[in-house]
Amino acid sequence: MKAPPLPLLFTWAALLGLLAATLGLAYVPMPGPMNVVVALGISVAKALLVLALFMKLFRAPALTRAAAAAGLFWLAILFALSATDYLTRKVEHAGDLPAPTGREHQPGNR
Amino acid sequence: MPEAPANPMPEPQYATMEQQADTAAFGMWVFLATEILFFGGMLLAYTWLRASYPEGVAEAGRHTRIVIGSVNTLVLLTSSFTMAWAVHAAEHEQRRALVRLLAVTALLGLLFLGLKGYEYHTEWTEHLVPGLNFHEESAHAQAIELFYFLYFLLTGIHGIHVTIGIGLIVVMAVRARRGAFSSRYYTPVEVTGLYWHFVDIVWIFLYPLIYLVGRSGP
């Protein structure tokens, strides 16, 4: 069996390097939301490597790239429009709240 | 199945073999776009849970099996590499290499499922399965239960995708062995590869969301 093509080999090595990096960095305390930002940033980098070199997306016809972009576009809409609801609710969570029962505001229950 | 003709003709609705191959790949990408949204809904639920109960999710994340999760990530990334290598072998008519690389990819997929099954077993024995035997004493028990509900949903559906992918790869290996592909016609291998890489990409995002959350905490 012939040796693997070097671009694929390098991509694999880069993916494993990024895996080691994200695993190590997860144990480093960072301010605010930086841990999840770093973790997802590394995931995006890994996904781009797979898309570009394993799936050859950026060498695909324009129509194919448009289909892939459409998936991400609608995902962004899903998250953005949902965020306009959930992120604007003023609910202060203190640990685990009991589930609402629907009887909170009945007369004689104040 | 007969040997592949040296000069295969496109189906009647296509002008060239290239157009036929591009159309097949385009069809897979359209399907993958719907798959992004399929997983997107569950990831949105996860995002809400994590934004609402950051401490509960962090505690739940520290319950997960970091070693199995990391090894499984290594396994899937490697299987994507052998899959991409297999497509390269198909393109260059290296039939034996193609069959072997497809077999290795399928075996890595099985290894992933085996490790995942062992992980599910440990979670069952530790009473972490919501709806069946969940029991947790923590102050964040409710959020942890929701986390594990999403964990089983996400990894379960991902596991179904891995299973389908293994099935497709085995079919490709059998067809390749019978000589169904040539450098002019290997579209099924390429399209199967696209599906497999997508399943890998889903895991690339599930890994930090499930296993790495809360690791820098107490």
Side-chain angles (χ1 to χ4, degrees), chain A residues 36 40 43-44 71-72 75-76 78-80 82-83 86, chain B residues 34-52 57 146-147 149-151 153-155 157-158 198-199 201-211:
Chain A
V36 66
L40 288 181
S43 288
V44 168
L72 293 177
L75 184 72
L78 174 69
F79 272 75
S82 303
Y86 286 106
Chain B
T34 71
E35 290 273 85
I36 291 175
L37 292 169
F38 180 43
F39 281 96
M42 291 178 277
L43 292 176
L44 179 67
Y46 173 94
T47 308
W48 168 81
L49 179 69
R50 186 154 167 182
S52 304
V57 170
L146 278 173
F147 175 92
F149 171 73
L150 281 174
Y151 161 81
L153 189 67
L154 280 161
T155 59
I157 290 176
H158 179 266
F198 173 80
V199 173
I201 289 178
V202 171
W203 186 261
I204 284 174
F205 284 95
L206 291 187
Y207 172 63
L209 296 178
I210 290 171
Y211 296 93

Side-chain angles (χ1 to χ4, degrees), chain A residues 1-5 8-10 12 15-16 19 22-23 25-30 35-36 39-40 42-44 46-48 50-51 53-57 60-61 63-68 70-72 74-76 78-79 82-83 86-87 89 93 95-99, chain B residues 22 25-26 29-30 32-34 36-37 39-41 43-44 47-48 50-53 55 66 70 73-74 77-78 80-81 84-85 87-88 91 94 96-97 100-101 138-144 190 193-195 197-198 200-201 204-205 207-209 212 214-216:
Chain A
M1 205 152 89
K2 284 183 187 167
L8 298 184
L9 198 62
F10 286 141
W12 181 48
L15 287 170
L16 297 194
L19 169 60
T22 194
L23 178 59
L25 287 172
Y27 288 88
V28 180
M30 296 181 200
N35 273 104
V36 66
L40 288 181
I42 291 176
S43 288
V44 168
K46 283 154 90 180
L48 282 175
V50 173
L51 284 169
L53 286 124
F54 286 174
M55 300 172 94
K56 297 177 185 161
L57 176 62
L63 197 58
T64 304
R65 282 177 280 146
L72 293 177
W74 290 107
L75 184 72
L78 174 69
F79 272 75
S82 303
Y86 286 106
L87 293 187
R89 288 186 191 186
H93 290 293
D96 292 316
L97 294 174
Chain B
D22 283 349
F26 173 66
W29 275 103
V30 169
L32 294 183
T34 71
I36 291 175
L37 292 169
F39 281 96
L43 292 176
L44 179 67
T47 308
W48 168 81
R50 186 154 167 182
S52 304
Y53 305 100
E55 289 163 12
I66 182 77
S70 304
T73 310
L74 180 74
L77 291 174
T78 305
S80 248
F81 164 64
W85 187 3
V87 172
H88 176 86
E91 197 179 345
Q94 301 160 356
R96 284 185 63 178
R100 282 183 194 171
L101 286 165
S138 156
H140 302 295
Q142 254 189 353
I144 295 174
E190 196 176 15
L194 289 178
Y195 181 81
H197 295 312
F198 173 80
D200 183 34
I201 289 178
I204 284 174
F205 284 95
Y207 172 63
L209 296 178
L212 300 183
R215 293 290 165 189
S216 63

